[in-house]
Amino acid sequence: MSLESEAVAPGDAELPGTLPESLRAELVAFRRDLHMHPELGNQEFRTTAAIKARLEKAGLKPRVLTLGTGLICDIGDWDGGRPMLALRADIDALPIPDMKTECSYRSTVPDRAHACGHDVHTTVVLGAGLVLAEMHRQGRLPRPVRLLFQPAEEVLPGGAADAIECGALEGVGRIIAVHCDPRVDAGRIGLREGAITSACDRLEVALDGPGGHTARPHLTTDLVTAAARVVTDVPALVGRRVDTRAGLAITWGRIESGHAPNVIPQHAELSGTVRCLDLGAWRQAPDLVVAAIDEVANLHGAKSEINYVRGVPPVVNDPDVTELLREAMTARRGALSVEGTEQSLGGEDFSWYLEQVPGAMARLGVRAPGERTVRDLHQGDFDADESAITVGVELFTAAALLDAAE
């Protein structure tokens, strides 16, 4: 298949959906405005309003989700026939400070930052929408496309589940997304069939028992020792009760107990994450983990209360939709612009959409070519090479055209 009736090699001629320079500049400015005004999950009112206003200016009719933030917008009218392709962006920021000291567009909100690239994702889908809307006006968009701007990706179990309840997938047959990757050069994308992210759940444990003096631990429930054994023994136990290829890992991020060196406390708390590379093992994880914690706590005479918070399953890329992204990027930038990528242990609520419809997520390169320092995600100094916005927009427009041609 090709983007035009006659195949066009990348660089030989302008392909449909190529960005004019004026739109490139506008999108960079839009992204910088979002970057300066980050909003947390389910609080993205300014962000939603900005997206809505720009889409309406383009003659489109966006619909704010009943959640109050986030929106969907169809380009073209779906006739109830073949389902649409959806382009998804997440719009929320992180509760961390922006540490970029020499940046004219650093966050103006204390302890808030777009340190995961959601401002880039949002701008990419907006830009693709504007290009596709113009093509639709010209009669060059064969099938309708849905834009989905989703709130609260960073809030477990993720705003995707709420967006689905609001009808975001009604009429949608396939869905695609990108996620910024600071390990990949701008101008390139990373693709992987199958699982590309990990499942991620949250685990909170409270241990209780009679405390006492450290001189007489045999008369107490030694909660400090019990908590320490939970930290070390539970991951080992679970690791022997599930196929090791599933990559199920428990990592503790907090342990708290006691106030004095000579007092055995009556209460201890632990919290961490459960990550898993395999969808089947993730579904078994709550029962396995809770049973292991209870066993270790009982062995030490401690009473356990466990709050296992379901997060997100792995993002499992559909082979056909992954190939769609590969063909679209190859048409834009050539075969060398696509590279393989490893499975990440990070969680992504895009997975909830893939429980309903086929889809795929690509890693969008945002590292300036030649840059040696990798500014990792969820760090206060994270930034993106803004040429990636153009790459993402043209990837999505090409994918929409190829999808319509299938």
Side-chain angles (χ1 to χ4, degrees), residues 235-274:
L237 277 175
V238 172
R240 288 296 178 266
R241 295 174 180 177
V242 69
D243 191 326
T244 54
R245 292 172 295 182
L248 199 159
I250 301 170
T251 305
W252 303 101
R254 184 180 72 92
I255 179 170
E256 184 175 339
S257 185
H259 301 283
N262 61 342
V263 177
I264 293 176
Q266 297 179 344
H267 184 75
E269 295 181 357
L270 308 89
S271 59
T273 59
V274 180

Side-chain angles (χ1 to χ4, degrees), residues 362-381:
R363 298 293 185 189
L364 179 66
V366 295
R367 180 178 62 193
E371 183 177 350
R372 295 181 179 272
T373 302
V374 176
R375 294 179 172 85
D376 204 2
L377 301 171
H378 287 222
Q379 300 297 313
D381 65 347

Side-chain angles (χ1 to χ4, degrees), residues 10 74 81 98 130 172 174 238 248 311 320 334 383 398:
D74 293 346
D98 190 333
L130 297 177
V172 170
R174 302 204 283 188
V238 172
L248 199 159
D320 290 338
D383 203 357

Side-chain angles (χ1 to χ4, degrees), residues 131-284:
V131 172
L132 292 171
E134 179 60 28
M135 294 185 69
H136 176 65
R137 280 191 290 271
Q138 298 171 1
R140 302 173 68 197
L141 184 63
R143 298 200 60 79
V145 176
R146 172 163 296 169
L147 313 179
L148 168 53
F149 298 91
Q150 175 216 303
E153 190 276 329
E154 300 287 355
V155 181
L156 287 179
D162 294 328
I164 291 170
E165 289 188 9
C166 291
L169 290 183
E170 292 178 5
V172 170
R174 302 204 283 188
I175 187 168
I176 57 177
V178 293
H179 197 295
C180 290
D181 192 335
R183 302 164 302 171
V184 178
D185 284 348
R188 299 170 65 88
I189 64 169
L191 288 177
R192 178 186 179 91
E193 290 185 10
I196 192 173
T197 69
S198 166
C200 181
D201 299 334
R202 189 171 73 243
L203 183 60
E204 298 168 347
V205 181
L207 301 176
D208 291 283
H213 201 291
T214 56
R216 293 175 289 278
H218 59 291
L219 301 179
T220 73
T221 294
D222 187 350
L223 282 183
V224 173
T225 296
R229 300 308 300 188
V230 167
V231 167
T232 57
D233 291 354
V234 167
L237 277 175
V238 172
R240 288 296 178 266
R241 295 174 180 177
V242 69
D243 191 326
T244 54
R245 292 172 295 182
L248 199 159
I250 301 170
T251 305
W252 303 101
R254 184 180 72 92
I255 179 170
E256 184 175 339
S257 185
H259 301 283
N262 61 342
V263 177
I264 293 176
Q266 297 179 344
H267 184 75
E269 295 181 357
L270 308 89
S271 59
T273 59
V274 180
R275 298 181 186 271
C276 187
L277 303 178
D278 177 75
L279 184 59
W282 174 74
R283 289 174 174 148
Q284 302 174 41

